[in-house]
Amino acid sequence: MSGPVIRRAGPDDVAALSLIGAATFVETYAHMIGIADMIAHVGATNSVDAWRGFARDPDAAIWIAEMPKTAAPLGYALLTSPDLPIELQAEDIELRRIYLLSKWHGGGSGRRLIEQAIGYARAMGKRRFLIGVYSENTGAIGFYRRMGCELVGTRSFQVGDTIFNDLIFGMDL
């Protein structure tokens, strides 16, 4: 079995992004979020319309990891203008989401996704790369630290009745 192909995604990919966005969110948080809240959240944040909005946003960039033979989506990265509760600069950019099905963790695809986003941010003249991560996601935290990110803040957000505490990491570009 060959590994995923990573490419820039666009408007024609919104259905695949909706599918992989929902699948990876459920895979990541099914043990923490009740079904009603899960359905509501995934329906709002990973609908085709939500992805269409990101695909049309001139300040956003999306990459998709997919199987080379079938084009089945395995993961994605979404880069946007920052929406974080820290002091922001005009040259900041946020990796709003990066998810990869767990079967593909550890094989280099996550690193390739984030490297695509970092390269794009640098080419756009951005100076700081930001990402929020669930505070108990030790695997992702270690990954971001290995990529050169440092803790720059925190935030809380709510999905239904569940409150999550995130760490916000930053890396100078």
Side-chain angles (χ1 to χ4, degrees):
M1 173 171 27
S2 67
V5 171
I6 295 173
R7 65 172 178 80
R8 185 78 185 269
D12 291 343
D13 298 303
V14 296
L17 290 162
S18 175
L19 176 66
I20 193 60
T24 53
F25 191 85
V26 170
E27 182 182 54
T28 304
Y29 296 104
H31 66 290
M32 303 171 69
I33 299 173
I35 187 63
D37 292 339
M38 180 71 72
I39 290 169
H41 182 79
V42 167
T45 61
N46 283 295
S47 68
V48 169
D49 284 341
W51 280 105
R52 189 173 291 117
F54 286 125
R56 290 179 178 159
D57 182 347
D59 295 326
I62 310 164
W63 292 266
I64 190 166
E66 60 189 13
M67 290 304 298
K69 197 171 196 177
T70 65
L74 307 171
Y76 68 95
L78 170 63
L79 196 61
T80 67
S81 297
D83 180 22
L84 297 165
I86 61 171
E87 188 173 330
L88 298 169
Q89 307 294 322
E91 299 85 14
D92 289 346
I93 196 157
E94 178 184 357
L95 184 60
R96 177 83 46 101
R97 299 182 199 164
I98 182 169
Y99 284 92
L100 189 65
L101 289 171
S102 62
K103 177 179 179 172
W104 300 97
H105 289 186
S109 296
R111 178 175 288 276
R112 289 173 46 220
L113 279 167
I114 202 168
E115 286 172 348
Q116 288 290 318
I118 289 169
Y120 180 85
R122 284 184 176 133
M124 297 302 296
K126 299 300 180 181
R127 311 235 16 214
R128 187 169 64 159
F129 187 82
L130 301 165
I131 185 165
V133 59
Y134 177 50
S135 63
E136 295 182 30
N137 188 342
T138 57
I141 291 167
F143 173 72
Y144 300 135
R145 287 189 187 279
R146 287 189 302 278
M147 293 296 300
C149 296
E150 297 180 3
L151 184 65
V152 297
T154 61
R155 73 171 167 195
S156 293
F157 71 95
Q158 191 165 351
V159 177
D161 294 331
T162 307
I163 297 176
F164 293 89
N165 294 305
D166 275 2
L167 303 176
I168 301 169
F169 285 92
M171 176 176 64
D172 290 336
L173 300 176

